[in-house]
Amino acid sequence: MQLKTFIDRATQLNTKTVAVAAAEDEEVIEAVAHALDSNLARFILFGNREKILALIKEKYPKGEEDSRIKIIHEDTNNAAAEEAVKSVKNSEAHVLMKGNIPTSMLLKAVLNKDYGLRTGNIISHVAVFEIPGYDKLTLITDSGMNIAPDLEQKAQIIKNAVSIARSIGIENPRVAPLAAVEVVNPAMQATLDAAALTVMNMRGQINGCIVEGPLALDNAVSVFAAEHKGITGKVAGKADILLVPTIEVGNALYKSLVYFANAKVGGVIAGAKAPIVLTSRSDTAESKLYSLALALCSVSN
């Protein structure tokens, strides 16, 4: 499977709508243009109408007459975030996308107890990678939201990632909680948590997947490395989901794959009532398109 598969799937589900908070941004309008050209979804753009229209005229002239775009004027970023979240809450839109607005401001609206998208569970980032020379897609979580999750938070992060994996056709994903070693070491919290997560999976507390750990990265993704070290199991060398112990590990692994391995990636925030796309200015247009398509596939699941 390749990431472009998500675009094909989302194209078949083009009745979905994306709400963009503070859409008056060049990169955002370019991402919207690419999505419309691929017939992925409809868009509600919240923000400064005059600025949004000027950008559409510059970046996507045919968008001025495109019925798939609706612009709702808001005077401030706070108001844009609030109304975009409310549109998802009220089922007017199915996916929330970050525009030219601080992530913290958008998440404040998402977590608002009155009109937000809270579910009571932790929200986490799930990235799906297509890595050159590797024969399948790999999910990494959490590289962008939770700094140092505890055991219960890691269990919920796994559940979020499993829901995304299943939405893209990985029915019973193999999950590897990463650590520096494959044995339990009381001095290394990541190994203790990995072992506990494995037992929780065995006892049905984490469903819909296979969890085995702790595993170092090489033994999680390479059958050769796992066999060479005598590590057996259903996950060793075949992991679909890599659960990182801290945000630093996830951030470094994410960026290493992008910058050193030229991997393609799409990412989504999971665990809320609807998927959230948090695109970065450094993301390529291709990556933003993959992220949108991934979000649309996950909500359709």
Coordinates of all heavy atoms in Angstrom, one line a residue, residues 44-106:
I44 N -15.0 24.6 4.3 CA -15.6 25.8 4.9 C -14.4 26.6 5.5 O -13.7 26.0 6.4 CB -16.6 25.5 6.0 CG1 -17.7 24.6 5.5 CG2 -17.2 26.8 6.6 CD1 -18.7 24.2 6.6
L45 N -14.1 27.8 5.0 CA -12.9 28.5 5.4 C -13.3 29.6 6.3 O -14.1 30.6 5.9 CB -12.2 29.1 4.1 CG -11.9 28.1 3.0 CD1 -11.3 28.9 1.8 CD2 -11.0 27.0 3.5
F46 N -12.9 29.5 7.6 CA -13.2 30.5 8.6 C -12.0 31.5 8.7 O -10.9 31.1 8.8 CB -13.5 29.8 9.9 CG -14.7 29.0 10.0 CD1 -14.6 27.6 9.5 CD2 -15.9 29.5 10.4 CE1 -15.7 26.8 9.6 CE2 -17.0 28.6 10.4 CZ -16.9 27.3 10.0
G47 N -12.3 32.8 8.8 CA -11.3 33.8 8.9 C -11.6 35.1 8.2 O -12.8 35.4 8.0
N48 N -10.6 35.9 7.9 CA -10.8 37.2 7.3 C -11.2 37.0 5.8 O -10.4 36.6 5.0 CB -9.5 38.0 7.4 CG -9.7 39.4 6.9 OD1 -9.9 39.6 5.7 ND2 -9.5 40.4 7.8
R49 N -12.4 37.3 5.5 CA -12.9 37.0 4.2 C -12.1 37.7 3.1 O -11.8 37.1 2.0 CB -14.4 37.5 4.1 CG -15.0 37.3 2.7 CD -16.4 37.9 2.6 NE -17.3 37.1 3.4 CZ -17.9 36.0 3.0 NH1 -17.7 35.6 1.8 NH2 -18.7 35.3 3.8
E50 N -11.8 39.0 3.3 CA -11.0 39.8 2.3 C -9.7 39.1 2.0 O -9.3 39.0 0.8 CB -10.9 41.2 2.8 CG -10.2 42.1 1.8 CD -10.1 43.6 2.2 OE1 -10.9 43.9 3.1 OE2 -9.2 44.3 1.8
K51 N -9.0 38.7 3.0 CA -7.6 38.1 2.9 C -7.8 36.7 2.2 O -6.9 36.4 1.4 CB -6.9 38.0 4.2 CG -6.5 39.4 4.8 CD -5.8 39.2 6.1 CE -5.4 40.5 6.7 NZ -4.7 40.4 8.0
I52 N -8.7 36.0 2.6 CA -8.9 34.6 2.0 C -9.2 34.8 0.6 O -8.7 34.0 -0.3 CB -10.1 33.9 2.8 CG1 -9.7 33.6 4.2 CG2 -10.4 32.6 2.0 CD1 -10.8 33.0 5.1
L53 N -10.1 35.7 0.2 CA -10.5 35.9 -1.2 C -9.3 36.3 -2.0 O -9.1 35.9 -3.2 CB -11.6 36.9 -1.3 CG -13.0 36.4 -1.0 CD1 -14.0 37.5 -0.9 CD2 -13.5 35.3 -1.9
A54 N -8.5 37.2 -1.5 CA -7.3 37.7 -2.2 C -6.3 36.5 -2.4 O -5.7 36.4 -3.5 CB -6.6 38.8 -1.4
L55 N -6.2 35.6 -1.5 CA -5.3 34.5 -1.6 C -5.8 33.5 -2.6 O -5.1 32.9 -3.4 CB -5.0 33.8 -0.3 CG -4.1 34.5 0.7 CD1 -4.1 33.9 2.1 CD2 -2.7 34.5 0.1
I56 N -7.1 33.3 -2.6 CA -7.8 32.4 -3.6 C -7.6 32.9 -5.0 O -7.2 32.2 -5.9 CB -9.2 32.2 -3.2 CG1 -9.4 31.3 -2.0 CG2 -10.0 31.5 -4.4 CD1 -10.8 31.2 -1.5
K57 N -7.8 34.2 -5.1 CA -7.6 34.8 -6.4 C -6.2 34.7 -7.0 O -5.9 34.4 -8.1 CB -7.9 36.3 -6.4 CG -7.9 37.0 -7.7 CD -8.4 38.5 -7.6 CE -8.4 39.1 -8.9 NZ -8.9 40.6 -8.8
E58 N -5.2 34.7 -6.0 CA -3.8 34.6 -6.4 C -3.4 33.2 -6.6 O -2.7 32.9 -7.6 CB -2.9 35.2 -5.3 CG -1.4 35.1 -5.6 CD -0.6 35.6 -4.4 OE1 -1.1 36.1 -3.4 OE2 0.7 35.4 -4.5
K59 N -3.7 32.3 -5.7 CA -3.2 30.9 -5.7 C -4.1 29.9 -6.4 O -3.7 28.9 -6.9 CB -3.0 30.4 -4.3 CG -2.0 31.3 -3.4 CD -0.6 31.1 -4.0 CE 0.4 31.9 -3.1 NZ 1.7 31.7 -3.6
Y60 N -5.4 30.2 -6.5 CA -6.4 29.3 -7.1 C -7.5 30.0 -7.7 O -8.7 30.0 -7.2 CB -6.9 28.3 -6.0 CG -7.6 27.1 -6.5 CD1 -7.0 26.2 -7.3 CD2 -8.9 26.9 -6.1 CE1 -7.6 25.0 -7.7 CE2 -9.6 25.7 -6.5 CZ -8.9 24.8 -7.4 OH -9.6 23.7 -7.8
P61 N -7.3 30.7 -8.8 CA -8.3 31.6 -9.4 C -9.6 31.0 -9.7 O -10.7 31.6 -9.5 CB -7.6 32.1 -10.7 CG -6.1 32.0 -10.4 CD -6.0 30.8 -9.5
K62 N -9.6 29.7 -10.1 CA -10.9 29.1 -10.4 C -11.7 28.8 -9.2 O -12.9 28.5 -9.2 CB -10.7 27.8 -11.2 CG -9.8 26.8 -10.5 CD -9.6 25.6 -11.5 CE -8.6 24.5 -10.8 NZ -8.4 23.4 -11.8
G63 N -11.0 29.0 -8.0 CA -11.7 28.7 -6.7 C -12.8 29.8 -6.4 O -13.6 29.6 -5.6
E64 N -12.7 31.0 -7.1 CA -13.6 32.1 -6.8 C -15.0 31.7 -7.1 O -16.0 32.2 -6.5 CB -13.2 33.3 -7.6 CG -11.9 33.9 -7.2 CD -11.5 35.2 -8.0 OE1 -12.0 36.3 -7.5 OE2 -10.9 35.1 -9.0
E65 N -15.2 30.8 -8.1 CA -16.5 30.4 -8.5 C -16.8 28.9 -8.1 O -17.8 28.3 -8.6 CB -16.7 30.5 -10.0 CG -16.4 31.9 -10.5 CD -17.3 32.9 -10.0 OE1 -18.5 32.6 -9.7 OE2 -16.9 34.1 -9.8
D66 N -16.0 28.3 -7.3 CA -16.1 26.9 -6.9 C -17.1 26.7 -5.8 O -16.9 27.3 -4.7 CB -14.7 26.3 -6.5 CG -14.7 24.8 -6.5 OD1 -15.7 24.2 -6.2 OD2 -13.6 24.3 -6.9
S67 N -18.1 26.0 -6.1 CA -19.2 25.8 -5.1 C -18.8 24.9 -3.9 O -19.5 24.9 -2.9 CB -20.4 25.2 -5.7 OG -20.1 23.9 -6.2
R68 N -17.6 24.3 -4.1 CA -17.1 23.5 -3.0 C -16.4 24.3 -1.9 O -16.0 23.7 -0.9 CB -16.1 22.4 -3.5 CG -16.8 21.4 -4.5 CD -15.8 20.5 -5.2 NE -14.9 21.3 -6.0 CZ -13.8 20.8 -6.6 NH1 -13.5 19.5 -6.4 NH2 -13.0 21.6 -7.4
I69 N -16.3 25.6 -2.1 CA -15.6 26.4 -1.1 C -16.7 27.4 -0.5 O -17.4 28.1 -1.3 CB -14.5 27.3 -1.7 CG1 -13.4 26.4 -2.3 CG2 -13.9 28.3 -0.7 CD1 -12.3 27.2 -3.0
K70 N -16.7 27.5 0.8 CA -17.6 28.4 1.5 C -16.7 29.2 2.5 O -15.9 28.6 3.2 CB -18.7 27.7 2.3 CG -19.7 28.6 3.0 CD -20.7 27.7 3.7 CE -21.7 28.6 4.5 NZ -22.7 27.7 5.2
I71 N -16.9 30.5 2.4 CA -16.1 31.4 3.3 C -17.0 32.0 4.4 O -18.0 32.6 4.0 CB -15.4 32.5 2.5 CG1 -14.4 31.9 1.4 CG2 -14.6 33.4 3.5 CD1 -13.8 32.9 0.5
I72 N -16.6 31.9 5.6 CA -17.3 32.5 6.7 C -16.4 33.5 7.4 O -15.3 33.1 8.0 CB -17.8 31.5 7.7 CG1 -18.8 30.5 7.0 CG2 -18.5 32.2 8.9 CD1 -19.5 29.5 7.9
H73 N -16.7 34.8 7.4 CA -15.9 35.8 7.9 C -15.9 35.8 9.5 O -16.9 35.7 10.1 CB -16.3 37.2 7.5 CG -15.5 38.3 8.1 ND1 -14.3 38.6 7.6 CD2 -15.8 39.1 9.1 CE1 -13.8 39.6 8.3 NE2 -14.7 40.0 9.2
E74 N -14.7 35.8 10.0 CA -14.5 36.0 11.5 C -13.4 37.1 11.7 O -12.4 37.1 11.0 CB -14.1 34.7 12.1 CG -15.0 33.5 11.9 CD -16.4 33.8 12.6 OE1 -16.4 34.6 13.5 OE2 -17.3 33.1 12.3
D75 N -13.7 37.9 12.7 CA -12.8 39.0 12.9 C -11.4 38.7 13.6 O -10.4 39.3 13.4 CB -13.4 40.1 13.8 CG -14.6 40.8 13.0 OD1 -14.4 41.1 11.8 OD2 -15.6 41.1 13.7
T76 N -11.4 37.6 14.4 CA -10.3 37.2 15.1 C -10.0 35.7 14.9 O -10.9 34.9 14.6 CB -10.4 37.5 16.6 OG1 -11.4 36.6 17.1 CG2 -10.8 38.9 16.9
N77 N -8.7 35.3 15.2 CA -8.3 33.9 15.2 C -9.1 33.1 16.2 O -9.5 31.9 16.0 CB -6.8 33.7 15.4 CG -6.0 34.1 14.2 OD1 -6.6 34.2 13.1 ND2 -4.7 34.2 14.3
N78 N -9.3 33.7 17.4 CA -10.1 33.0 18.4 C -11.5 32.6 17.9 O -12.0 31.5 18.1 CB -10.2 33.8 19.7 CG -9.1 33.6 20.6 OD1 -8.6 32.4 20.8 ND2 -8.6 34.6 21.3
A79 N -12.1 33.6 17.3 CA -13.5 33.4 16.7 C -13.5 32.3 15.6 O -14.4 31.5 15.5 CB -14.1 34.7 16.3
A80 N -12.4 32.4 14.8 CA -12.3 31.4 13.7 C -12.2 30.0 14.2 O -12.8 29.1 13.7 CB -11.1 31.8 12.8
A81 N -11.3 29.9 15.2 CA -11.1 28.6 15.8 C -12.4 28.0 16.5 O -12.8 26.9 16.3 CB -10.0 28.6 16.9
E82 N -13.1 28.9 17.2 CA -14.3 28.5 17.9 C -15.4 28.1 16.9 O -16.0 27.0 17.0 CB -14.9 29.7 18.7 CG -16.1 29.4 19.4 CD -16.6 30.5 20.3 OE1 -15.7 31.3 20.8 OE2 -17.8 30.6 20.6
E83 N -15.6 28.9 15.8 CA -16.7 28.6 14.9 C -16.3 27.4 14.0 O -17.2 26.6 13.6 CB -16.9 29.8 14.0 CG -17.5 31.0 14.7 CD -18.8 30.6 15.5 OE1 -19.6 29.9 14.9 OE2 -18.9 31.0 16.7
A84 N -15.0 27.2 13.7 CA -14.6 26.0 12.9 C -14.9 24.7 13.8 O -15.4 23.7 13.2 CB -13.1 26.1 12.6
V85 N -14.5 24.8 15.0 CA -14.8 23.6 15.9 C -16.3 23.4 16.1 O -16.7 22.2 16.0 CB -14.1 23.9 17.3 CG1 -14.6 22.8 18.3 CG2 -12.6 23.8 17.2
K86 N -17.0 24.4 16.2 CA -18.5 24.3 16.3 C -19.1 23.6 15.1 O -20.0 22.8 15.2 CB -19.2 25.6 16.6 CG -19.0 26.1 18.0 CD -19.7 27.5 18.2 CE -19.6 28.0 19.7 NZ -20.2 29.3 19.8
S87 N -18.6 24.0 13.9 CA -19.1 23.4 12.7 C -18.9 21.9 12.6 O -19.7 21.2 12.1 CB -18.4 24.1 11.5 OG -17.1 23.7 11.3
V88 N -17.8 21.4 13.2 CA -17.5 20.0 13.3 C -18.4 19.4 14.3 O -19.0 18.3 14.1 CB -16.0 19.7 13.5 CG1 -15.8 18.2 13.7 CG2 -15.1 20.3 12.4
K89 N -18.5 20.0 15.5 CA -19.3 19.6 16.5 C -20.8 19.4 16.1 O -21.5 18.4 16.4 CB -19.3 20.6 17.7 CG -20.3 20.3 18.9 CD -19.7 19.2 19.8 CE -20.6 19.1 21.0 NZ -20.0 18.1 22.0
N90 N -21.3 20.3 15.2 CA -22.6 20.3 14.7 C -22.8 19.5 13.5 O -23.9 19.5 12.8 CB -23.1 21.7 14.5 CG -23.2 22.5 15.8 OD1 -23.3 22.0 16.9 ND2 -23.0 23.8 15.7
S91 N -21.8 18.8 13.1 CA -21.8 17.9 11.9 C -22.0 18.6 10.6 O -22.3 18.0 9.6 CB -22.9 16.8 12.0 OG -22.7 16.0 13.2
E92 N -21.7 19.9 10.6 CA -21.6 20.7 9.3 C -20.3 20.4 8.5 O -20.3 20.5 7.3 CB -21.7 22.2 9.6 CG -23.0 22.6 10.2 CD -23.0 24.0 10.8 OE1 -22.0 24.7 10.5 OE2 -23.9 24.4 11.5
A93 N -19.3 20.0 9.3 CA -18.0 19.5 8.7 C -17.6 18.3 9.4 O -18.1 17.9 10.5 CB -17.0 20.6 8.9
H94 N -16.7 17.5 8.8 CA -16.3 16.2 9.3 C -14.9 16.1 9.7 O -14.5 15.2 10.5 CB -16.6 15.2 8.2 CG -17.9 15.2 7.6 ND1 -18.2 15.9 6.5 CD2 -19.1 14.7 8.0 CE1 -19.5 15.8 6.2 NE2 -20.1 15.1 7.1
V95 N -14.1 17.1 9.3 CA -12.6 17.2 9.6 C -12.3 18.6 10.0 O -12.8 19.5 9.4 CB -11.8 16.7 8.4 CG1 -10.3 17.0 8.7 CG2 -12.0 15.2 8.1
L96 N -11.4 18.8 11.0 CA -11.0 20.1 11.4 C -9.5 20.3 10.9 O -8.7 19.4 11.1 CB -11.0 20.3 12.9 CG -10.5 21.6 13.5 CD1 -11.4 22.7 13.0 CD2 -10.5 21.5 15.0
M97 N -9.2 21.4 10.3 CA -7.9 21.7 9.8 C -7.3 23.0 10.4 O -8.1 24.0 10.4 CB -7.9 21.7 8.3 CG -6.5 21.9 7.7 SD -6.6 21.8 5.8 CE -4.9 22.2 5.4
K98 N -6.1 23.0 10.8 CA -5.4 24.2 11.3 C -5.0 25.1 10.2 O -4.4 24.6 9.2 CB -4.2 23.8 12.1 CG -3.3 24.9 12.6 CD -2.2 24.4 13.4 CE -1.2 25.4 13.8 NZ -0.4 25.9 12.6
G99 N -5.3 26.4 10.3 CA -4.9 27.4 9.3 C -3.7 28.2 9.9 O -2.9 27.7 10.6
N100 N -3.8 29.5 9.7 CA -2.8 30.4 10.2 C -3.1 30.8 11.6 O -3.5 32.0 11.9 CB -2.7 31.6 9.3 CG -1.5 32.5 9.6 OD1 -0.6 32.1 10.3 ND2 -1.5 33.8 9.1
I101 N -2.9 29.9 12.5 CA -3.3 30.1 13.9 C -2.4 29.2 14.8 O -2.0 28.1 14.4 CB -4.8 29.6 14.1 CG1 -5.3 29.9 15.5 CG2 -5.0 28.2 13.7 CD1 -6.8 29.6 15.6
P102 N -2.0 29.7 16.0 CA -1.2 28.9 16.9 C -1.9 27.5 17.2 O -3.1 27.5 17.4 CB -1.0 29.7 18.1 CG -1.2 31.1 17.6 CD -2.3 31.0 16.5
T103 N -1.2 26.5 17.3 CA -1.8 25.2 17.6 C -2.5 25.2 18.9 O -3.6 24.7 19.1 CB -0.7 24.1 17.6 OG1 -0.1 24.0 16.3 CG2 -1.2 22.7 18.0
S104 N -1.8 25.9 19.9 CA -2.4 26.0 21.3 C -3.8 26.6 21.2 O -4.7 26.2 22.0 CB -1.5 26.8 22.2 OG -1.3 28.1 21.7
M105 N -4.0 27.6 20.4 CA -5.3 28.3 20.3 C -6.3 27.4 19.7 O -7.5 27.4 20.2 CB -5.1 29.6 19.4 CG -6.4 30.4 19.4 SD -6.2 31.9 18.4 CE -5.0 32.8 19.4
L106 N -6.0 26.6 18.7 CA -6.9 25.7 18.1 C -7.3 24.6 19.1 O -8.5 24.3 19.2 CB -6.4 25.1 16.8 CG -7.3 24.2 16.1 CD1 -8.5 24.9 15.6 CD2 -6.6 23.5 14.9

